Amino acid sequence: MNHRVIAVALAALASVLSQGALAQGLRPSGAPSGKGLSARPGPATSLTLPPADAVPASASNSSSATRQADFIVAVVNSEPVTNNEVRARLARAEVQLARQGGPMPTRDVLAREVLERIILERVQLQQAREAGIKVDDFSVGQAEQGVARQNGMTVDELYRRLGREGMTRERFRDDLRNQLTLQRLREREVEARVKVSDLDIDQYLREQQQGADAASTEINLGHVLVLVPENASPAQVAERQARAQQAADKIRAGEDFAAVAREYSDAPEGQRAGGLLGLRPADRYPELFVNSTQGQPIGSIVGPVRSPAGFHVLKVVERVTAGMPTTVVQNHARHILLRTGPQLSESAAAARLADYRRRVQTGQADFATLAREHSQDGSAKEGGDLGWASPGRYVPEFEQALEALKPGDVSEPIVTRFGVHLIQLLERREAKLTQREQRDMVRDLVREKKLDEAYATWAQELRGRAYVEYREPPQ
C-alpha cells in the first residue's frame, strides 16, 4: 500500500465530500467562520447539516419554479450548462456565504463565479470520462453513509432532511458520484506532479522558526563549554579555542556527543547529563545560543562560538515549534486489500471482504491467514500487518475507518484509491514523536501546500484547453 501522510486532500475523500457537501449546504464542523473553507480538511471528515431554517424557501424551490424559463447560458466542449443549473447552485452558495458572515458579493458577481465553477467541474468530468474513470455504486453508498454518520443521523433521516430543502436522493447521489469522480481524476493527474525534498522541509522549518517568537519555540541543545579564565593571555585563549575546536571536530567526525562532553566540557551538565541542556522555551536560552542555532537542522553542530565565559560547541538535539505536536496517538493495524478493475468491481470486492469479515468474527478464519492468502498488498506476507502508524500516514478514508475502531474490531469494507480494504485494529497507544516522525509530519504539510499549487496549475491548463462558448448571462 502506497501510504501517505496526513491527508492529501485533493486526493482525499474527506476533501471531496466536503466540496460535495458544501453544494448541499453541509459544512465541515471545524471549518473557519470567515469567508472560504480550507481546500484540504483533515483526514477525518466531520460534516454537519445546517440548521433547519438556514435554507430559504427560494433555495429549495428555485429549480422547479423556473424550469419553464430554462435556457442555455454556456456550452462546454459541446455540452450545455443551463440557467437552472446555475440558479440551483447559486441559491446554495448564497446560503453558505450568509452563514459564514462577512461581505456578500452582488448576485451578478456571485452568479458569474458559480458559472465558472460549474464550467471547471464540467471540463474535469469530461476529462474523467475520456480517461475511463468510473465510480461504483458501492463507493457512492459508502460516501452517502459517511455523510449521514458524521451528521449523527441515519441515511433515511439524511434524505428526509435534504428533501425538506429541495434535494432529491438521486440528485444528492449524482453529486456525490461526480465529486468522487473528480477526486479520482485529480489523484491521477495531480499527485504525480508533487515531490517534496529534504531541502523543502528545511526551508519550511526555517520559515516557521523565523516567524515564531522565542516563547513559542522550544529547543533542546547539547552543550560543550571550554572555559576561558578572566584576564587570560592570548596564548591561553588560543589554547582554549583549540580545545573547543578539537571537541567539535570529534563530534562532527561521528563520535558520541555525550562522551565528548564528558571529556571536554567544563559545564556542570557535561558530566551530569552528557551535555544536554533539556527541552525548554528558546527565550530561556542565552541569546547567543538561539541566534547561533536558528535555522540549523536537527542534528547539526555549531561552533565553537565565543562568549565572555569561553568557547561553546552546540548540537541541535530537538526543536518543537508551536502547533507541532510532540506526542500523538498511534495505531497498529493490519488489512486485506483487493485491487479493483475490469475483472473485479468494487461491489464484488466489498462482498468478498464482507464474507472474510463474517468468517473472522465467527471464528471460522484467522485475519492474518486470510491476508496472506488473498491480500494484494505488499504487507500480505506479514499477514497484512502495517506496523505502528502516526496520524496522517494513510489516505483519509482508510484513516477515518481506522479511528472508528476499537482494538480487536474489524471494519466494514472500505474503498480507497488503492482498492477495497478490510481493516483490523490491533493496538492503540500514545507515543512521543521522534525527530524523523516530526519531519514526516512537516513533509505532509509541505506536500499539502504543493498539491494545492499543482492542482491550481493543472486546473488552469485543463480549462485553457477547453472550448467554452458563453450564451446569455445567468438570471
Side-chain angles (χ1 to χ4, degrees):
M1 180 178 177
N2 180 17
H3 302 309
R4 280 183 325 177
V5 187
I6 176 203
V8 177
L10 275 184
L13 179 59
S15 173
V16 172
L17 283 182
S18 294
Q19 295 168 11
L22 286 175
Q24 321 309 328
L26 299 147
R27 66 174 178 87
S29 62
S33 59
K35 183 179 289 186
L37 295 171
S38 168
R40 296 181 184 284
T45 313
S46 181
L47 302 177
T48 58
L49 286 164
D53 60 354
V55 180
S58 60
S60 61
N61 60 21
S62 59
S63 178
S64 59
T66 60
R67 190 169 304 279
Q68 292 181 347
D70 200 10
F71 55 89
I72 295 174
V73 296
V75 177
V76 184
N77 293 329
S78 77
E79 188 174 337
V81 177
T82 68
N83 185 57
N84 277 345
E85 289 181 76
V86 178
R87 287 177 61 91
R89 183 79 67 91
L90 176 61
R92 293 194 291 271
E94 287 175 328
V95 171
Q96 189 68 26
L97 288 173
R99 292 179 61 240
Q100 290 179 351
M104 176 76 77
T106 66
R107 186 176 177 85
D108 287 345
V109 169
L110 187 58
R112 287 196 297 270
E113 292 179 355
V114 167
L115 174 59
E116 287 303 318
R117 170 135 190 179
I118 292 174
I119 290 171
L120 184 58
E121 290 180 359
R122 194 66 54 87
V123 170
Q124 293 181 34
L125 287 170
Q126 291 168 354
Q127 179 79 3
R129 285 197 296 270
E130 292 177 8
I133 296 174
K134 297 180 180 179
V135 174
D136 193 286
D137 284 343
F138 181 81
S139 291
V140 177
Q142 179 178 295
E144 178 184 62
Q145 292 167 12
V147 173
R149 181 174 59 253
Q150 292 157 33
N151 284 280
M153 57 182 69
T154 66
V155 172
D156 287 341
E157 290 170 338
L158 170 68
Y159 280 118
R160 281 196 294 271
R161 175 66 177 278
L162 291 172
R164 291 195 295 270
E165 296 164 5
M167 175 64 65
T168 66
R169 178 186 291 260
E170 292 73 19
R171 174 67 180 276
F172 187 71
R173 283 179 62 88
D174 284 346
D175 281 356
L176 284 178
R177 191 185 304 275
N178 285 342
Q179 295 299 330
L180 290 167
T181 302
L182 294 178
Q183 169 206 337
R184 295 184 183 183
L185 176 67
R186 292 164 185 163
E187 287 170 353
R188 197 182 78 166
E189 297 294 331
V190 178
E191 292 216 356
R193 299 184 176 203
V194 175
K195 306 294 180 185
V196 180
S197 69
D198 287 338
L199 289 176
D200 293 327
I201 296 173
D202 292 339
Q203 176 64 26
Y204 177 89
L205 291 172
R206 281 194 293 271
E207 291 172 356
Q208 294 298 108
Q209 292 159 24
Q210 291 167 2
D213 58 48
S216 65
T217 300
E218 295 184 327
I219 51 177
N220 183 8
L221 297 179
H223 178 222
V224 173
L225 168 63
V226 178
L227 285 171
V228 175
E230 290 186 31
N231 303 318
S233 66
Q236 286 177 305
V237 173
E239 183 275 327
R240 297 277 84 189
Q241 183 176 9
R243 179 174 172 81
Q245 187 63 56
Q246 187 178 29
D249 291 343
K250 284 189 174 185
I251 297 167
R252 290 190 174 103
E255 291 197 28
D256 180 62
F257 186 93
V260 174
R262 284 190 289 268
E263 179 180 353
Y264 285 85
S265 185
D266 297 318
E269 69 273 359
Q271 300 299 321
R272 186 179 65 249
L276 292 181
L277 297 174
L279 189 65
R280 65 180 77 168
D283 59 2
R284 289 178 53 196
Y285 275 103
E287 187 175 351
L288 173 68
F289 289 13
V290 176
N291 291 339
S292 299
T293 59
Q294 187 172 23
Q296 297 295 321
I298 301 299
S300 60
I301 308 299
V302 177
V305 293
R306 180 71 192 271
S307 80
F311 292 95
H312 308 264
V313 178
L314 303 168
K315 178 179 180 179
V316 184
V317 177
E318 186 177 7
R319 182 184 285 110
V320 179
T321 303
M324 181 64 66
T326 57
T327 61
V328 296
V329 175
Q330 295 180 327
N331 292 310
H332 179 198
R334 57 189 177 189
H335 78 141
I336 300 171
L337 169 66
L338 298 182
R339 300 189 184 276
T340 56
Q343 305 303 318
L344 183 67
S345 68
E346 290 175 356
S347 298
R352 190 179 301 177
L353 290 173
D355 180 61
Y356 295 164
R357 181 175 186 264
R358 178 190 60 78
R359 290 164 60 187
V360 170
Q361 290 181 321
T362 57
Q364 299 177 33
D366 174 69
F367 193 103
T369 301
L370 289 174
R372 292 189 188 95
E373 293 175 352
H374 303 289
S375 183
Q376 296 171 311
D377 182 55
S379 64
K381 59 181 180 297
E382 305 297 335
D385 197 326
L386 298 171
W388 286 101
S390 297
R393 178 179 174 185
Y394 306 120
V395 290
E397 309 94 310
F398 190 101
E399 189 153 297
Q400 187 176 13
L402 183 58
E403 289 301 320
L405 300 177
K406 297 177 182 178
D409 286 352
V410 180
S411 72
E412 298 284 351
I414 301 297
V415 177
T416 75
R417 65 190 180 96
F418 302 106
V420 188
H421 311 252
L422 194 66
I423 310 166
Q424 183 177 43
L425 175 62
L426 300 175
E427 304 172 82
R428 182 171 282 141
R429 71 183 182 189
E430 185 172 294
K432 183 176 177 63
L433 287 173
T434 65
Q435 293 299 323
R436 179 179 293 277
E437 288 169 333
Q438 287 184 332
R439 282 183 67 85
D440 284 344
M441 294 188 74
V442 171
R443 185 183 298 275
D444 280 345
L445 295 174
V446 176
R447 181 174 175 80
E448 297 299 316
K449 181 180 178 181
K450 286 195 166 190
L451 276 170
D452 284 335
E453 295 168 351
Y455 167 70
T457 300
W458 169 78
Q460 186 176 24
E461 292 172 353
L462 197 62
R463 172 68 173 81
R465 294 196 299 268
Y467 169 77
V468 178
E469 176 189 346
Y470 293 94
R471 300 281 182 88
E472 299 183 53
Q475 299 176 7

